[in-house]
Amino acid sequence: MILFTSDLDRTLIYSKHMMKLFPPATETLVVEHKAEEAMSMMTQATATLLHQVHQQTLFVPVTTRALHQYKRIHFINDLCPTFAIASNGGTILEKGQPYEKWTKILSRRIEDSSIPREDMLKHFYTIQSETWLQRTLYIDDLFYVHHVDIEVLPHDELQAIIQEFDAHGWYVLLQGKKLYFMPKVLTKEAAIEYIKEFCTYDVHIAAGDSIMDYGMLAIADVAFTLNHGDLKDKQPKILQNTTYSAHNGEAFTKDLLEMVLQIASHQTVV
């Protein structure tokens, strides 16, 4: 049995912007709506392949999205995966329902390893500036996403913030225009390691595009990342178990899912 843990956005599914940036070769399919608006897409080809992957592997979708944002992706939810991971590892879903035991375990880990969020916020308020901070979101009572003006936020100031909060048990990461503040123990790989205790599998395959996926790729037997992601630029070191693809967008997704199916059927992968 193959355990296949995969990031969603920009790995399996794509926004309209990304579809325009890397035009797919085949017809697209909307996989997520927000109200009546189409938010994310796959191609018909990769949707079919993902169905097959789900049937032949233990497919675990893994995302930094808040739980309510994950649930908008109707195509993934309709697959009814046995396990899914949202909130960057903060929420484990078993057959669509939050696994409360993990919630309690993670809560204790956060409490033991980082300063309380109230203290973190007090400290953040003393250094944040209205010149670069645009809005703040608190995700699933776990972590913060600050939308920032990256043209104004000084690089040296950001590095000082990263180092300072690291000492208090909080991980700070700038992804595009989003500045994440997360307890350091809140990771995708921690949730995956916990799930592994309940799974029977022979090979763990992982896929992702961002530095937040690095730990997940590192603990896999075989891993894949794509050309358009930022993982290659931000990774601490090259992962020997990982194929760094030359493909972008849906071309990568199609190639990835075909390789997962090849491994699942015990065919030789060159």
Side-chain angles (χ1 to χ4, degrees):
M1 172 62 75
I2 302 295
L3 169 63
F4 177 45
T5 62
S6 180
D7 176 53
L8 295 179
D9 292 281
R10 299 189 174 206
T11 301
L12 294 182
I13 66 175
Y14 295 89
S15 65
K16 288 179 283 188
H17 169 73
M18 288 296 290
M19 284 293 195
K20 288 178 181 176
L21 199 58
F22 304 111
T26 59
E27 187 180 349
T28 59
L29 172 76
V30 178
V31 297
E32 176 194 7
H33 288 90
K34 183 179 180 181
E36 299 299 318
E37 184 181 358
M39 298 296 289
S40 300
M41 290 169 279
M42 299 179 75
T43 63
Q44 293 284 356
T46 54
T48 299
L49 286 168
L50 187 57
H51 261 294
Q52 295 172 4
V53 166
H54 174 60
Q55 291 168 353
Q56 298 182 38
T57 74
L58 178 57
F59 166 52
V60 180
V62 185
T63 181
T64 301
R65 285 180 177 225
L67 182 56
H68 77 276
Q69 294 173 320
Y70 165 73
K71 288 185 174 180
R72 285 201 311 246
I73 311 171
H74 49 81
F75 180 86
I76 301 294
N77 282 275
D78 288 347
L79 293 176
C80 300
T82 303
F83 294 105
I85 296 170
S87 321
N88 206 61
T91 304
I92 292 176
L93 297 175
E94 183 180 18
K95 296 179 180 176
Q97 298 302 313
Y99 195 73
E100 298 298 340
K101 189 174 180 182
W102 169 247
T103 303
K104 292 175 182 177
I105 290 171
L106 180 62
S107 179
R108 286 197 300 270
R109 289 183 185 178
I110 292 173
E111 186 176 337
D112 292 343
S113 63
S114 57
I115 61 171
R117 74 177 185 91
E118 294 82 5
D119 295 340
M120 185 278 292
L121 284 176
K122 287 178 185 176
H123 193 48
F124 177 70
Y125 292 148
T126 65
I127 61 173
Q128 62 99 6
S129 169
E130 291 183 1
T131 59
W132 50 260
L133 181 62
Q134 297 174 329
R135 66 179 179 130
T136 294
L137 301 173
Y138 186 37
I139 307 300
D140 292 347
D141 295 331
L142 288 164
F143 64 94
Y144 287 87
V145 181
H146 304 290
H147 290 249
V148 299
D149 185 339
I150 55 176
E151 301 297 326
V152 178
L153 177 61
H155 178 75
D156 56 350
E157 190 173 325
L158 173 60
Q159 292 308 307
I161 291 171
I162 291 171
Q163 292 177 11
E164 192 161 350
F165 281 89
D166 179 78
H168 295 303
W170 286 78
Y171 177 53
V172 179
L173 174 70
L174 181 65
Q175 289 276 87
K177 297 180 180 179
K178 296 177 181 178
L179 187 63
Y180 290 85
F181 276 66
M182 295 181 169
K184 288 166 70 175
V185 296
L186 178 66
T187 65
K188 294 179 176 181
E189 60 270 24
I192 292 167
E193 291 283 23
Y194 185 75
I195 285 176
K196 282 182 173 183
E197 297 177 18
F198 308 98
C199 300
T200 301
Y201 65 95
D202 302 303
V203 179
H204 175 197
I205 303 174
D209 72 301
S210 82
I211 191 62
M212 287 189 184
D213 300 315
Y214 181 85
M216 173 173 67
L217 271 57
I219 65 170
D221 299 305
V222 181
F224 300 91
T225 191
L226 57 177
N227 196 48
H228 70 239
D230 71 350
L231 187 145
K232 298 190 299 296
D233 298 327
K234 295 182 178 180
Q235 64 185 358
K237 63 178 182 179
I238 294 174
L239 295 169
Q240 297 304 314
N241 66 336
T242 299
T243 297
Y244 293 82
S245 176
H247 294 297
N248 290 306
E250 279 285 322
F252 164 82
T253 306
K254 183 174 182 291
D255 192 46
L256 164 70
L257 296 175
E258 287 174 343
M259 282 193 264
V260 172
L261 288 170
Q262 285 181 349
I263 296 171
S265 62
H266 304 288
Q267 294 179 5
T268 301
V269 180
V270 179

